[in-house]
Amino acid sequence: MLSSARKVAVLARELADETEQARQLAPALVEQLKAHDLLRLGLTADLGGAEPTTAEVLEMAETLAIGDASAGWCVSIAATSSLLGAYLPAKGGQEVFGDPRAVAAGVWAPRAKGTAVDGGVRISGRWGFCSGIRHSEWIFLGFVQDGQVRTAAFATAELTVLDTWKTTGLRGTGSTDVVADDVFVPDHRVFSVLDGPPAGARALQRFPLFGFFAASIAAAALGNARGAMNEFVELATVRKPSGSNRSTAERSATQSAFAAAEAALRAARGLYYQAIDDAWQAAVADEPVSVELRTSLRLACTHAVRTAAEVVSTVYDLGGGSAIYEDSPLQRRFRDAHTATAHFQVNPATFELAGRLLLGLPTETGQL
């Protein structure tokens, strides 16, 4: 599957402009992602999943992001959403994922209210940041019912999809708003993500769910940074700054800054995958993943996203005047990197959360 991800990443890069202009993944790219089963990576075997490790899932998303950050982002969000197949009652899991080409998106924030009715719940509300909704047949959305936070699986055809995703970066993710107007959802498509792993969960589902969510954002950011580094190498070997006979790559200042950026990216990536592996080992052993391991994971994810943005900023600056034009991949990488840093799972407040825990202060850890 990683080999497939590498092949599709090449296509993602070729179609990056089309994806950006349409503000959703290019249809030809979606077709290949579905053909290689790269939008259902979190499913259990009974729902047709290959059951890779957490690190393997995230490396595939990272690889896609090397081609185009929006592609990697949508793959990681789809992986996170497909994890919820194990949380659904069996009937719901088959309804949502029984079609081997069915893809789900998800926004777990409880932005709606639900009212219990015979056989299910009626829900009304509006959710933002619905990444991948344009190519997803289903979407998991959070709501409040009788004071309890729950999640429902909606068929996207039942919702109104708004055209609100007009942003600086990650335009191709199509992370627009959706509205539910008194939509009925049967009980077999309603569950809670706050009660811990479902009974009989496999290792992938025992991995911290909110930690996986943060890691999915970091995977896209790391891949985007690597893509920016690759594209800068292509630029630097041929570009000659005004008034110079040497290429950008031949300048000592470029060499020093580029090497420092490479070291920073490798270090952040190493910490990231080490934290993932540590938590994975606990999940495989069917042990509770400790607060210490979950803190390390969230810290590594936030550090990865913010370091990735710094790395992209470095090569963007090194690109000089050529990087500012719309047809430069570096300016898209720059915008995508700094859009990722705004995500609530990896924003500066997560350093405060980790810091409180590292300092031994009382801290709510339910969504760590």
Side-chain angles (χ1 to χ4, degrees), residues 71-311:
W73 185 282
C74 286
V75 166
S76 63
I77 292 299
T80 305
S81 298
S82 63
L83 286 172
L84 300 186
Y87 286 73
L88 283 165
K91 182 178 179 180
Q94 286 298 326
E95 183 176 356
V96 174
F97 292 111
D99 180 345
R101 290 178 60 84
V103 174
V107 177
W108 307 342
R111 303 299 187 192
K113 292 184 178 181
T115 302
V117 295
D118 186 29
V121 58
R122 303 199 73 88
I123 303 172
S124 294
R126 175 171 173 166
W127 299 261
F129 305 106
C130 300
S131 299
I133 185 67
R134 299 289 188 183
H135 59 255
S136 299
E137 290 76 24
W138 296 88
I139 184 167
F140 293 101
L141 298 170
F143 69 100
V144 176
Q145 179 184 349
D146 298 327
Q148 301 295 314
V149 176
R150 308 189 77 193
T151 302
F154 292 81
T156 55
E158 299 177 305
L159 305 172
T160 301
V161 180
L162 305 178
D163 186 20
T164 56
W165 190 245
K166 300 174 183 178
T167 59
T168 300
L170 293 171
R171 294 174 183 172
T173 63
S175 305
T176 193
D177 290 15
V178 298
V179 174
D181 184 10
D182 196 34
V183 176
F184 172 76
V185 180
D187 286 331
H188 63 264
R189 286 198 264 120
V190 177
F191 59 96
S192 172
V193 297
L194 300 180
D195 297 334
R202 308 284 288 176
L204 188 58
Q205 285 70 38
R206 292 196 299 270
F207 191 90
L209 184 61
F210 289 95
F212 190 103
F213 189 11
S216 72
I217 304 307
L222 288 168
N224 182 58
R226 176 53 61 195
M229 295 284 279
N230 293 347
E231 286 155 5
F232 177 74
V233 170
E234 295 175 7
L235 170 69
T237 54
V238 297
R239 177 180 178 271
K240 292 183 179 180
S242 178
S244 174
N245 292 322
R246 296 183 300 164
S247 69
T248 300
E250 292 173 311
R251 302 177 65 193
S252 60
T254 299
Q255 296 157 9
S256 177
F258 189 79
E262 178 69 28
L265 184 58
R266 290 190 195 187
R269 187 176 186 273
L271 177 65
Y272 169 77
Y273 279 106
Q274 182 62 61
I276 289 167
D277 185 62
D278 290 343
W280 174 258
Q281 294 305 322
V284 168
D286 201 9
E287 300 172 356
V289 181
S290 67
V291 170
E292 180 181 2
L293 289 175
R294 287 184 281 141
T295 301
S296 295
L297 178 61
R298 183 61 66 84
L299 184 64
C301 292
T302 303
H303 178 65
V305 172
R306 309 201 78 77
T307 299
E310 293 169 2
V311 166

